[in-house]
Amino acid sequence: MATVTGTFELIGDPEIDLLELVEHDSAWSHDYEAHRACLAAALGERAGRIEHIGSTAVPGLAAKPIVDVLVTVDDPDDDAAFLPYLQAAGYALRIVEPGHRMLRPDDRRAHVHLYRHDDPAVVALTTFRDHLRVNASDRAAYAEAKRVLIAEGWASMDDYAQAKSPIVADILARAGVALAR
């Protein structure tokens, strides 16, 4: 089943079951490395950057136990150029929107985001991660905002992610970047 929500198409039903915050787990970096190796092998030269992003990439930050991975490609809208390789490696397409694809493995413990090499979202995602790694006050403010929001109850993970947008935009502004997407 596909659901069109706003400007993206969600493949499958909205989910809420993995929407929990847990304390940082050092195993997330190992999980990322396993996904990085798998994605690099599956995509070969089709992949540009492969980076660990999101809260699981920030030591000391509570997060959903889902590792976010950024992969840059020439054209994320050209599904034929990468989708068969990722599906063969065990990743299923979850979100389709112009200039962005999100895939995940069967266990749903990773989100693989594909963007064009020069997409402003790449700068925003990596800057956000890097800023939170070094700025303790913004890291604490973000953690608190996530704890408050997660307690509110959401119809889907996407709704929760949208609710975080104002604090993410504020932190990015302090880091000198405008929120992408």
Side-chain angles (χ1 to χ4, degrees):
M1 174 182 188
T3 306
V4 176
T5 307
T7 61
F8 68 90
E9 178 183 356
L10 179 67
I11 310 300
D13 294 325
E15 297 169 345
I16 198 70
D17 59 323
L18 291 178
L19 189 53
E20 62 176 319
L21 277 185
V22 299
E23 292 307 313
H24 188 83
D25 186 340
S26 61
W28 291 334
S29 62
H30 301 290
D31 295 343
Y32 158 73
E33 287 297 335
H35 286 291
R36 186 201 56 72
C38 183
L39 293 163
L43 292 173
E45 293 182 7
R46 291 172 198 82
R49 295 167 67 174
I50 302 176
E51 296 199 35
H52 190 185
I53 58 168
S55 295
T56 61
V58 180
L61 182 60
K64 296 184 312 292
I66 299 170
V67 172
D68 285 298
V69 181
L70 167 71
V71 179
T72 62
V73 295
D74 289 337
D75 182 2
D77 295 324
D78 183 5
D79 293 338
F82 61 83
L83 195 53
Y85 304 98
L86 292 173
Q87 289 172 325
Y91 295 90
L93 186 61
R94 177 69 174 154
I95 292 177
V96 175
E97 66 180 323
H100 173 238
R101 299 293 184 274
M102 192 275 278
L103 297 97
R104 64 184 184 184
D106 288 341
D107 70 3
R108 301 182 321 179
R109 295 292 180 169
H111 289 166
V112 177
H113 299 272
L114 277 73
Y115 287 99
R116 186 179 312 276
H117 306 290
D118 61 353
D119 192 307
V122 173
V123 171
L125 291 164
T126 56
T127 299
F128 188 71
R129 173 204 62 203
D130 295 345
H131 181 79
L132 289 178
R133 284 177 173 171
V134 299
N135 190 299
S137 61
D138 278 346
R139 187 172 54 247
Y142 186 52
E144 180 58 23
K146 292 188 335 173
R147 284 185 181 94
V148 168
L149 288 170
I150 205 111
E152 291 184 20
W154 299 95
S156 74
M157 243 187 268
D158 300 308
D159 293 340
Y160 166 74
Q162 287 299 317
K164 293 187 306 181
S165 293
I167 183 107
V168 170
D170 289 346
I171 292 170
L172 279 170
R174 284 191 290 283
V177 176
L179 181 63
R181 298 231 186 271

